[in-house]
């Protein structure tokens, strides 16, 4: 059944499969990529970042998330048609050919490469180092239970680049914020992965949800706790004001709320909890602003 969404209503029919291939119709992943990077830009600028950097990093998040989704569907095209949730994706359903998908991936990479001209040399090298992570992530679930760790590193790579492009250095507290975001992503993506455990087992794929098993709440809660500790330590290292810690307390409360509602026996609840992490991303920006502007 063809979805009745903005892609179907507003884009030319020939464009729709490409928009769905790069998940323009599902913006949650783009927001979860962008929001932590914006928070890091605020921290690195010690206040408001330049409008130019906001535009460049926003475009980078949109494009690289699209590249990752495109490669994911290229590698998973022989799996997706066997799963109800994914069988209508453009590549596996025959709306696009493999050749068209590869050309589209190349085009996205070329446009992304143009953004290298807008950042400094240090950040360009970091951007190039990101590409292998984006490409290999879809393959990781074939041989490791921790593909979400690779995804977390790639999704939050912009946090590192925010520091290198703004200050031309990568301080330990910038790395600590990034590591915290990686653990946060492993946690919230594990919640989502529980929804797909049955299908993944049928296909012979792996995920952290399989590794965590019935101890999912303890594992995910531990990831969230470690995230909070790393973000608090990073705030101390940056010398952020009290407002940062006040908002961090709200984030900790949100993590606790997620764990109170998460249940491995009812994975269908996971989608709402997964999406709620956009609120955490917004709160990260609020915390960065509060810590830098409120004294």
């Amino acid at each position: 059944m063809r979805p009745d969404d903005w892609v179907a209503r507003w884009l030319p029919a020939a464009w729709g499969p490409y928009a769905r291939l790069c998940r323009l119709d599902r913006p949650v992943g783009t927001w979860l990529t962008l929001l932590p990077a914006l928070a890091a830009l605020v921290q690195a600028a010690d206040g408001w970042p330049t409008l130019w950097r906001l535009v460049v990093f926003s475009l980078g998040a949109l494009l690289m998330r699209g590249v990752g989704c495109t490669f994911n569907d290229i590698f998973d095209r022989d799996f997706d048609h066997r799963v109800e949730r994914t069988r209508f994706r453009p590549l596996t359903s025959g709306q696009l050919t493999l050749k068209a998908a590869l050309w589209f991936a190349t085009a996205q990479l070329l446009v992304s490469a143009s953004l290298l001209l807008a950042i400094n040399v240090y950040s360009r090298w970091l951007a190039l180092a990101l590409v292998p992570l984006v490409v290999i992530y879809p393959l990781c679930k074939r041989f490791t239970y921790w593909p979400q760790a690779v995804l977390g590193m790639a999704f939050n790579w912009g946090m590192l680049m925010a520091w290198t492009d703004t200050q031309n250095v990568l301080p330990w507290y910038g790395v600590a914020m990034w590591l915290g975001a990686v653990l946060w992503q492993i946690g919230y993506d594990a919640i989502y992965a529980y929804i797909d455990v049955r299908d993944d087992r049928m296909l012979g794929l792996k995920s952290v949800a399989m590794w965590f098993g019935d101890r999912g709440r303890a594992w995910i809660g531990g990831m969230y706790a470690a995230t909070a500790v790393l973000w608090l330590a990073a705030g101390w290292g940056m010398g952020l004001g009290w407002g940062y810690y006040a908002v961090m307390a709200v984030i900790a409360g949100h993590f606790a709320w997620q764990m109170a509602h998460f249940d491995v026996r009812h994975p269908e609840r996971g989608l709402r909890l997964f999406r709620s992490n956009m609120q955490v991303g917004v709160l990260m920006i609020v915390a960065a602003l509060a810590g830098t502007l409120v004294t």
Side-chain angles (χ1 to χ4, degrees):
M1 180 182 296
R2 178 173 173 148
D4 182 22
D5 56 15
W6 73 268
V7 171
R9 291 191 297 269
W10 297 103
L11 292 184
W15 295 13
Y18 293 99
R20 299 188 195 284
L21 187 62
C22 65
R23 305 292 195 275
L24 284 182
D25 59 325
R26 298 179 181 273
V28 175
T30 301
W31 284 115
L32 289 171
T33 303
L34 176 59
L35 293 172
L38 295 181
L41 281 173
V42 171
Q43 293 170 341
D46 196 27
W48 296 105
T50 65
L51 178 60
W52 178 246
R53 283 200 176 92
L54 290 175
V55 171
V56 170
F57 275 75
S58 296
L59 288 174
L62 177 66
L63 287 165
M64 290 310 296
R65 192 256 177 158
V67 170
C69 291
T70 301
F71 276 108
N72 182 81
D73 284 11
I74 288 172
F75 289 128
D76 285 0
R77 64 190 185 280
D78 293 330
F79 293 117
D80 285 344
H81 72 279
R82 299 169 61 188
V83 178
E84 180 63 29
R85 183 175 64 83
T86 59
R87 68 188 182 95
F88 293 110
R89 285 179 175 174
L91 195 53
T92 196
S93 64
Q95 299 172 57
L96 289 176
T97 64
L98 175 59
K99 182 179 179 179
L102 288 170
W103 276 113
F104 185 55
T106 302
Q108 290 177 89
L109 284 171
L110 289 174
V111 176
S112 300
S114 69
L115 296 178
L116 296 178
L117 300 174
I119 57 180
N120 63 20
V121 174
Y122 194 163
S123 303
R124 289 173 191 167
W125 285 110
L126 274 180
L128 291 173
L130 169 62
V131 175
L133 287 177
V134 172
V135 174
I136 69 169
Y137 157 68
L139 299 174
C140 292
K141 53 194 170 188
R142 290 157 169 77
F143 59 83
T144 177
Y145 286 103
W146 292 86
Q148 283 77 14
V150 179
L151 183 65
M153 289 187 285
F155 249 54
N156 298 288
W157 202 257
M159 298 177 72
L160 302 178
M161 294 175 60
W163 283 97
T164 58
D165 193 58
T166 304
Q167 297 194 8
N168 206 36
V169 295
L170 185 54
W172 70 265
Y173 35 81
V175 176
M177 285 295 301
W178 174 72
L179 286 173
V182 172
L183 294 176
W184 167 47
Q185 173 137 14
I186 294 172
Y188 72 67
D189 218 55
I191 292 175
Y192 191 87
Y194 271 98
I195 302 173
D196 291 335
V197 163
R198 181 178 299 177
D199 290 328
D200 286 344
R201 284 202 178 104
M202 176 189 69
L203 298 171
L205 302 177
K206 298 178 173 65
S207 72
V208 289
M210 293 181 185
W211 181 270
F212 296 166
D214 293 338
R215 293 181 53 80
R217 179 177 290 173
W219 272 99
I220 297 168
M223 295 288 177
Y224 283 173
T227 294
V229 170
L230 284 165
W231 287 351
L232 289 172
W236 172 82
M238 284 180 260
L240 297 180
W242 64 268
Y244 176 80
Y245 300 97
V247 182
M248 278 293 138
V250 177
I251 290 177
H254 191 284
F255 287 160
W257 171 82
Q258 287 189 48
M259 291 300 91
H261 288 81
F262 175 69
D263 190 337
V264 298
R265 296 169 298 179
H266 300 283
E268 67 280 357
R269 300 176 184 172
L271 184 59
R272 180 170 70 102
L273 297 177
F274 170 80
R275 288 175 174 168
S276 75
N277 282 280
M278 286 192 293
Q279 299 171 26
V280 176
V282 172
L283 287 170
M284 288 177 70
I285 298 174
V286 174
L289 289 169
T292 55
L293 301 179
V294 178
T295 59

